[in-house]
Amino acid sequence: MTVIESGETRGLLSEEAALARVRGVCFKTGPPRRVGVELEWLVHPLDGAGAAPGEGSGKGDAAAPAAISATALRAAVDAVRELPLSSAISLEPGGQVEFSSPPATSLPACVETVGADLAAARTLLSRHGMRLVGRGLDDRAACRLLDDPRYRAMESFFDRTGPAGRIMMCSSASVQVCLDAGVAGRGPFGLGRRWFLAHVLGAVFTAAFANSPLTEGPWAGWRSGRQAVWAALDGYRNLAPAGMGRGDPRTLWARYALDAPVLCVRSEDGPWTVPGDGMTFREWINRSHTPGGPRGRPAGGPGEPGRPPDPTDLDYHLTTLFPPVRPQGHLELRMIDAQPGEDGWIVPLAVAMALFNDVVAAETAFRAVRPLAGLADGAPAPRNALWVRAARDGLTDPGLRAAAVTCFAAAREALPRLGAGRAVRAAVEEFSARYVARGRCPADDVLDGCRAAPFSAAPFDATPFGAAPFDSAPPPSADSMPPRAADKEGSP
């Protein structure tokens, strides 16, 4: 059926061809060597009111900084792109700026490259009266500044299930660490093991690096309001594939991708269509092969795509899936809040690389987090109990705290073996002592200052799932944690 080469499409796309394409494109196996990072930053006025970088009120109030116009922001970002930077610079729908590093063969190279790019960009942005702010959620109300067809369609799609989509698009910022997928076999660097580790260790990262506290509404007191927002999206494209640790990640992901609702159908001649019936990509394929489509309606009606999909549509569809771990040839860890300070991003980058790319640290991390997998109870992240507790309770949860203490210690021991310099090692040491060892996260610094103050309206006052958060159960005690699972043949 369809074969795609050099951007050319021939014939119709079949399910078999689509599944094979996803398996081949999204997981590139090999020894883990490379690392990259994508840094999203909120952009605030340099001399405006509001919290300094790395500080946040956790609520929208009169102290929130003023908005920056789309025209001024585009001009500033265009000027940044003219700099001789190694990172790709992109603008998010709410005005967040993202720095995407090139793949690096070592941690020091990645830190040096991105650090230099950020320093140059900050100097230029300051001349435009702007500063970069490291925080998971903005204090300002969600407002889409970009009018690109992708973002208009995305807003329309997510508006069907509540306000979380607009907040995610326009008010959130993260640190996304990119690591090689791993080797095809078993062991610490095996693809299956790394896929499992990413989905359980990811909860530990959510808790340890939580930096988007909320102080009002059903999520009041949550350490990572950003993760709560992501969990409140449509209920499919924001979730991890089912069957974590119980199957080939490539097969699980390919099925997940085809069964995801199509967010939009692109068009060169008019507005992008948002299917009105929850049509999945698999159904779109089948509709092109079956007269009248699987629902017996002719293509081209209201909300219908009007044409069959081609491989470029499949490639685009993959960019509209937002689970906490996204395979893009490599593994993209998407669960970490943007961090406070100019260099706060270095700590999650260094810790993640150490725990995935150092064989000793990877084995230690696997054994430390494996007992936590029982809390997921088969439900996908980030809506299972483990991830909810990570976002809500941070490292006050005893199981998450114990795992974090072990994992951060393993990372600190591994960093010299990865060639990390003195400054990087010192940053991880300082974070570990200030937060991890004390069962705290950056969000707790903000919550400490807010608990005695009267709260104003939160960015949103109800979840799409009702008035209560996803998991109202109390945090588990250390005694209630599931026992360590025995090693089994075929486990990741």
Side-chain angles (χ1 to χ4, degrees), residues 99-402:
F99 290 71
S100 300
S101 78
T105 57
S106 71
L107 176 62
C110 187
V111 170
E112 181 179 358
T113 296
V114 179
D117 288 349
L118 285 170
R122 283 194 177 95
T123 298
L124 191 148
L125 287 172
S126 69
R127 297 173 188 160
H128 288 257
M130 302 175 194
R131 58 188 173 96
L132 301 178
V133 176
R135 192 184 312 147
L137 280 180
D138 207 336
D139 287 336
R140 300 170 296 188
C143 178
R144 180 166 59 84
L145 299 182
L146 304 188
D147 197 38
D148 300 359
R150 172 184 173 91
Y151 298 131
R152 288 199 301 269
M154 191 179 295
E155 185 176 84
S156 176
F157 179 91
F158 284 121
D159 277 351
R160 299 170 179 175
T161 52
R166 293 192 182 214
I167 298 169
M168 174 275 289
M169 292 171 58
C170 303
S171 298
S172 68
S174 66
V175 173
Q176 299 173 16
V177 180
C178 301
L179 300 161
D180 284 322
V183 300
R186 299 176 58 187
F189 291 159
L191 171 60
R193 169 76 71 87
R194 288 165 75 85
W195 182 252
F196 173 88
L197 184 63
H199 285 90
V200 185
L201 182 59
V204 178
F205 288 165
T206 297
F209 297 113
N211 187 41
S212 51
L214 296 178
T215 58
E216 185 60 72
W219 290 320
W222 282 46
R223 270 75 176 176
S224 180
R226 172 183 161 274
Q227 194 59 246
V229 168
W230 277 99
L233 295 180
D234 66 313
Y236 190 93
R237 67 191 340 101
N238 58 325
L239 305 182
M244 178 197 58
R246 298 193 302 273
D248 176 16
R250 291 164 292 195
T251 299
L252 295 173
W253 178 257
R255 293 171 179 169
Y256 164 92
L258 262 62
D259 289 331
V262 174
L263 188 145
C264 62
V265 178
R266 298 169 299 159
S267 172
E268 296 181 358
D269 304 323
W272 293 12
T273 302
V274 178
D277 59 356
M279 176 188 71
T280 68
F281 200 91
R282 190 188 303 272
E283 290 172 335
W284 190 9
I285 293 173
N286 290 336
R287 195 169 297 180
S288 68
H289 290 269
T290 305
R295 292 184 173 86
R297 294 193 301 273
E304 293 290 319
R307 62 173 177 81
D310 63 39
T312 65
D313 292 310
L314 177 58
D315 293 343
Y316 184 82
H317 175 68
L318 295 174
T319 73
T320 70
L321 306 179
F322 308 114
V325 181
R326 183 165 67 177
Q328 299 201 97
H330 55 271
L331 299 183
E332 182 182 80
L333 309 184
R334 302 173 52 86
M335 73 290 297
I336 301 170
D337 284 352
Q339 294 297 285
E342 292 188 354
D343 299 323
W345 56 275
I346 292 175
V347 176
L349 170 64
V351 171
M353 184 175 183
L355 297 179
F356 278 86
N357 285 18
D358 180 86
V359 65
V360 176
E363 185 64 27
T364 300
F366 173 68
R367 295 186 180 279
V369 304
R370 193 171 182 180
L372 297 175
L375 280 176
D377 196 27
R383 285 193 180 176
N384 62 48
L386 173 62
W387 281 69
V388 167
R389 286 166 174 168
R392 181 187 62 198
D393 304 325
L395 294 185
T396 65
D397 180 282
L400 288 164
R401 178 179 181 178

